[in-house]
Amino acid sequence: MVDSTPDAPRRAVTLRDVARRAGVDVSTASRALSGRRRVTAGVAGRVHDAAESLGFSPNYAARSLRLSRTMTLGIVFGQLTSPGLLEFLEGLGSRADEDGYSLMVTVARGGAERYRTLVQRLCERRVDGLFIAAPPELGDALRGLQQAGTPVVALFRHGPGGDDLPLVTASEEEAVRQALRRLRELGHRRLLYLGIPAAIPSVRLEWLKEAAVGLGLALDARVIGHEESVTRLEARLREALGETAATALFFEYSEAPRLLGALRGLDLRIPQDLSLVVFGESTWTIELGPPLASIRHDLQALGRIAAQMMIERLACGPDAELPSVVEAGVGEWVERASIGPAPATTRHERR
Amino acid sequence: MVDSTPDAPRRAVTLRDVARRAGVDVSTASRALSGRRRVTAGVAGRVHDAAESLGFSPNYAARSLRLSRTMTLGIVFGQLTSPGLLEFLEGLGSRADEDGYSLMVTVARGGAERYRTLVQRLCERRVDGLFIAAPPELGDALRGLQQAGTPVVALFRHGPGGDDLPLVTASEEEAVRQALRRLRELGHRRLLYLGIPAAIPSVRLEWLKEAAVGLGLALDARVIGHEESVTRLEARLREALGETAATALFFEYSEAPRLLGALRGLDLRIPQDLSLVVFGESTWTIELGPPLASIRHDLQALGRIAAQMMIERLACGPDAELPSVVEAGVGEWVERASIGPAPATTRHERR
DNA sequence: GTGAAAGCGCTAACAT
DNA sequence: ATGTTAGCGCTTTCAC
């Protein structure tokens, strides 16, 4: 049923097969199928029928070779950790898909060397465009791409040493300002930021500092280790809150489980004793316990935007330049029940 | 620095360029670079130098065309929701990567029709192997792949109507049995399973039922809506616990935030009043609140196994058959503080 | 409107 | 050991 000639060769049907079946030349079949050039109605019909009945599926490698474009976009991730990356990927993928582009996804997982290897491989694959998340120093791994005029853009942020690529990212500046303004309005004067070293935070910290200075708020920042236990964090937290007398706490989504766990041990009421703001969100931060106020992104939308930019760029031809930084997405301040008026005296002062 | 001839053509360097520069024929250059056939040391050196200095990157489309293999694996996801999919993807991708395969990732996001479209596209891309997560009825979308002898495997489970593909999945049978045995040991006799309709649960429910029957435990199962609010769930939960007098509750990771939120409103002590077991886990279920006992998978390992199977199959040639079901991963029972001895009388009986 | 022919970049027979 | 030749499947001039 699936195959009319049961012992057909283990070989894909080619355009040649279709043409033969339709009684025309391959070139005619090509035209009929691509529809780009006019063909007699009868011929077109026969060709389509033949293709249909043979189960013809055009070979993209051949087409790519001829057309010098693969209709493929590549992406290199550093690591697939944050669940936000799935949303991003979904957005990017679906937008690309709409214009017929497929996505090659790779994960570096290692150092800069791995990044370079993957970039090389994607270059061999002749992707039409390449995204690199938080790119490190890439050296001459980009050479092939550059020679071919393939656009390469950095995603989210630049990694150490890799700041020579146009960047597509979401800006949180305004959202951070809004959050701080609101907290100030609620009487908060001293803020604390807890983050892991050398990740996204650096930029966030800049924004936080800037906004805090602008509004006359005190901001302390402390680094917490990636692996510190909940009990350890509890002590750290107690100490940090004691020393800074902060009434509002900022932290990263990735640290939220441990931090919230530690917070429980401290017997603080949220938000009466302490207001909480998290960078990023998910059902966990919203549905469980006090809904956490957050500075979030629509990462799916950001993905779509990144894809769209690339596609437009591709349509413009190789000579169009990419702007060096595109703040494509916009961070959003979402107020929720985890923030409230600052306590008159902090818990620690009370003691 | 990057380019010795500043106004070089916007064109990738080809093997021909390398050969010319090295003063040899393209075929010789090909041999020297592939290293598959012996070449004089001097020539090899010159060719490599030329390739190096020109920044040569072999065109995979051309190679694919010639070799009839793309060194590309395709994967179709239904949706990119569960964070576990990232782990899976990472495992699959890294294993594939080790053997030089790249990964084309697509997301159906829609109904069976979208699946078919993506399968078609991946077929045109001539992937060497294809994974489809929870495939629905695919109809003749698989024809091209079949004709070409491309292996296609289903992942996780079969979707409605799509049960004609070899399946790679993880079995939880034994883990479920262990969990129930342990609960029985702790005095539990009545269990409750809360799940969303038409997702993974169906299989899980089978396993649960089977194990429960085998151990003489009572098992009730209730469906909860995908969108029910926490307060609504609270009522549902109260009702369900009241009616079944269950002392242990099973639920899915995806429902955990809402369910745990609802549980809080019920003023139950975990595990004194109720024991909890979740299918799947993350830092959220471990670090926050009472660590949840779980039936989990190492999805990254499963991904690696799936990739490995495919690669081996590819090495065997197109005539090797895939076994129809491979339970490649093993679910694991992990006991944590969320389970404890069954209460002498259930909370509701006490009232 | 259709067929003939060339060629995208590469590899593998075959010849030398 | 190296060069010559053919061809993977497709699109696109170029004739007719």
Side-chain angles (χ1 to χ4, degrees):
Chain A
M1 183 91 162
V2 162
D3 210 340
S4 42
T5 41
D7 49 353
R10 248 328 153 53
R11 167 180 86 74
V13 177
T14 76
L15 193 57
R16 193 193 188 90
D17 300 326
V18 174
R20 182 157 29 217
R21 168 83 84 115
V24 297
D25 187 86
V26 271
S27 57
T28 308
S30 172
R31 284 185 281 247
L33 256 17
S34 72
R36 309 167 71 93
R37 288 169 84 95
R38 296 180 54 82
V39 157
T40 316
V43 171
R46 266 164 37 225
V47 171
H48 277 102
D49 288 352
E52 177 75 18
S53 74
L54 255 25
F56 171 68
S57 174
N59 183 325
Y60 243 83
R63 179 177 290 179
S64 298
L65 192 56
R66 190 63 239 253
L67 265 29
S68 313
R69 35 182 280 183
T70 54
M71 293 304 281
T72 300
L73 265 22
I75 182 164
V76 183
F77 285 112
Q79 207 136 4
L80 250 33
T81 45
S82 155
L85 255 31
L86 268 185
E87 291 173 49
F88 181 83
L89 199 56
E90 176 143 6
L92 188 74
S94 70
R95 184 63 191 81
D97 191 274
E98 286 167 20
D99 276 49
Y101 286 91
S102 297
L103 210 57
M104 281 206 145
V105 179
T106 63
V107 184
R109 222 181 344 272
E113 197 45 58
R114 284 270 312 154
Y115 266 92
R116 278 180 228 125
T117 309
L118 293 177
V119 169
Q120 298 272 25
R121 181 174 297 174
L122 261 8
C123 173
E124 296 176 353
R125 256 50 184 217
R126 294 292 187 272
V127 292
D128 291 337
L130 180 59
F131 300 97
I132 311 180
E137 166 68 44
L138 260 15
D140 54 0
L142 292 174
R143 241 178 101 187
L145 274 336
Q146 282 170 177
Q147 282 168 348
T150 305
V152 181
V153 314
L155 253 24
F156 310 134
R157 60 195 171 90
H158 290 294
D163 41 13
D164 48 353
L165 253 27
L167 176 70
V168 175
T169 186
S171 168
E172 293 166 330
E173 254 178 306
E174 181 51 27
V176 164
R177 237 192 315 266
Q178 283 178 37
L180 264 54
R181 214 176 287 134
R182 178 70 180 122
L183 285 171
R184 190 175 191 292
E185 202 174 293
L186 287 166
H188 295 268
R189 294 295 175 268
R190 291 174 304 281
L191 316 176
L192 176 61
Y193 173 88
L194 252 40
I196 51 176
I200 319 120
S202 49
V203 197
R204 291 193 168 148
L205 208 43
E206 292 306 313
W207 287 326
L208 270 175
K209 275 180 182 156
E210 199 174 302
V213 168
L215 291 165
L217 300 173
L219 172 71
D220 268 273
R222 310 238 163 161
V223 169
I224 57 178
H226 225 312
E227 295 294 339
E228 288 183 272
S229 70
V230 171
T231 41
R232 176 89 184 85
L233 275 182
E234 204 175 306
R236 293 286 312 272
L237 207 48
R238 190 193 315 274
E239 181 191 302
L241 288 174
E243 287 177 17
T244 63
T247 58
L249 178 63
F250 286 75
F251 54 95
E252 304 290 327
Y253 176 84
S254 58
E255 311 313 310
R258 293 188 303 150
L259 235 31
L260 293 174
L263 232 24
R264 287 212 185 159
L266 260 48
D267 185 35
L268 292 169
R269 291 164 305 160
I270 310 292
Q272 291 88 341
D273 299 321
L274 184 67
S275 287
L276 260 30
V277 179
V278 60
F279 284 94
E281 63 175 46
S282 77
T283 57
W284 285 97
T285 64
I286 299 171
E287 313 253 32
L288 184 63
L292 298 187
S294 73
I295 287 160
R296 71 164 181 205
H297 304 128
D298 187 341
L299 281 167
Q300 185 162 340
L302 184 58
R304 291 189 65 87
I305 292 172
Q308 172 130 19
M309 277 190 45
M310 185 63 89
I311 290 169
E312 277 170 8
R313 165 58 221 282
L314 257 19
C316 289
D319 297 314
E321 281 302 312
L322 249 18
S324 74
V325 174
V326 182
E327 298 199 332
V330 180
E332 197 183 349
W333 160 240
V334 185
E335 183 168 346
R336 292 207 182 81
S338 69
I339 71 163
T345 54
T346 70
R347 185 182 163 78
H348 296 275
E349 283 165 358
R350 252 182 292 153
R351 277 195 179 151
Chain B
M1 183 91 163
V2 162
D3 209 340
S4 43
T5 41
D7 48 352
R10 253 317 161 56
R11 168 182 87 72
V13 176
T14 77
L15 193 58
R16 192 194 189 89
D17 301 326
V18 174
R20 181 154 33 215
R21 167 83 83 116
V24 296
D25 187 85
V26 272
S27 59
T28 308
S30 171
R31 283 186 282 246
L33 256 17
S34 72
R36 310 167 70 93
R37 287 169 86 95
R38 296 183 55 82
V39 157
T40 316
V43 172
R46 263 158 48 220
V47 171
H48 276 102
D49 288 351
E52 177 75 19
S53 73
L54 255 25
F56 172 67
S57 173
N59 183 325
Y60 244 83
R63 179 177 291 179
S64 299
L65 191 55
R66 190 62 240 252
L67 264 29
S68 312
R69 36 183 283 188
T70 53
M71 294 303 282
T72 300
L73 265 22
I75 181 164
V76 183
F77 285 112
Q79 206 136 4
L80 251 31
T81 44
S82 156
L85 256 31
L86 269 185
E87 291 172 49
F88 180 82
L89 198 57
E90 177 144 5
L92 188 74
S94 69
R95 184 63 191 81
D97 192 274
E98 287 167 19
D99 276 50
Y101 286 91
S102 297
L103 211 56
M104 282 207 144
V105 179
T106 63
V107 184
R109 222 183 343 272
E113 198 44 58
R114 285 269 312 153
Y115 266 92
R116 278 179 228 125
T117 309
L118 292 177
V119 169
Q120 299 273 24
R121 179 172 299 172
L122 259 11
C123 173
E124 296 176 353
R125 259 41 184 220
R126 293 293 187 272
V127 293
D128 292 335
L130 180 60
F131 300 97
I132 311 179
E137 167 67 44
L138 262 13
D140 53 0
L142 291 175
R143 240 178 101 187
L145 273 338
Q146 282 169 178
Q147 282 168 347
T150 305
V152 181
V153 315
L155 253 23
F156 311 133
R157 59 196 172 89
H158 290 293
D163 41 12
D164 47 354
L165 253 26
L167 177 69
V168 174
T169 187
S171 168
E172 294 166 329
E173 254 178 305
E174 183 50 29
V176 164
R177 236 191 316 265
Q178 283 178 36
L180 263 55
R181 213 175 288 135
R182 179 71 180 121
L183 285 171
R184 190 175 191 293
E185 202 175 292
L186 287 166
H188 295 268
R189 293 295 176 270
R190 292 174 304 281
L191 316 176
L192 176 61
Y193 173 88
L194 252 39
I196 51 176
I200 318 121
S202 48
V203 197
R204 291 192 169 150
L205 207 44
E206 293 307 314
W207 286 326
L208 270 175
K209 275 179 181 157
E210 199 173 302
V213 167
L215 291 165
L217 300 172
L219 172 71
D220 268 274
R222 310 239 162 159
V223 169
I224 57 179
H226 226 311
E227 296 295 339
E228 287 183 274
S229 70
V230 171
T231 42
R232 176 91 184 85
L233 275 183
E234 203 175 307
R236 293 285 313 272
L237 207 48
R238 191 193 316 274
E239 181 191 303
L241 288 175
E243 287 177 16
T244 63
T247 59
L249 178 62
F250 286 76
F251 53 94
E252 303 290 327
Y253 176 83
S254 58
E255 311 313 310
R258 294 188 302 150
L259 233 32
L260 292 175
L263 231 25
R264 288 212 185 158
L266 259 49
D267 185 35
L268 291 169
R269 291 164 306 160
I270 310 295
Q272 291 87 342
D273 298 321
L274 184 66
S275 287
L276 260 30
V277 179
V278 60
F279 284 95
E281 63 175 45
S282 76
T283 57
W284 286 98
T285 63
I286 299 172
E287 314 252 33
L288 184 63
L292 298 187
S294 73
I295 287 159
R296 71 164 183 206
H297 304 128
D298 187 341
L299 282 167
Q300 184 163 339
L302 183 58
R304 291 189 65 87
I305 292 172
Q308 172 130 19
M309 277 191 44
M310 185 64 88
I311 289 169
E312 277 169 8
R313 165 59 220 282
L314 257 20
C316 291
D319 296 314
E321 280 303 312
L322 250 16
S324 74
V325 174
V326 182
E327 299 198 332
V330 180
E332 196 183 350
W333 160 240
V334 184
E335 183 167 345
R336 293 206 183 83
S338 70
I339 72 163
T345 55
T346 71
R347 187 181 161 77
H348 296 275
E349 283 166 358
R350 252 181 290 152
R351 277 192 179 154

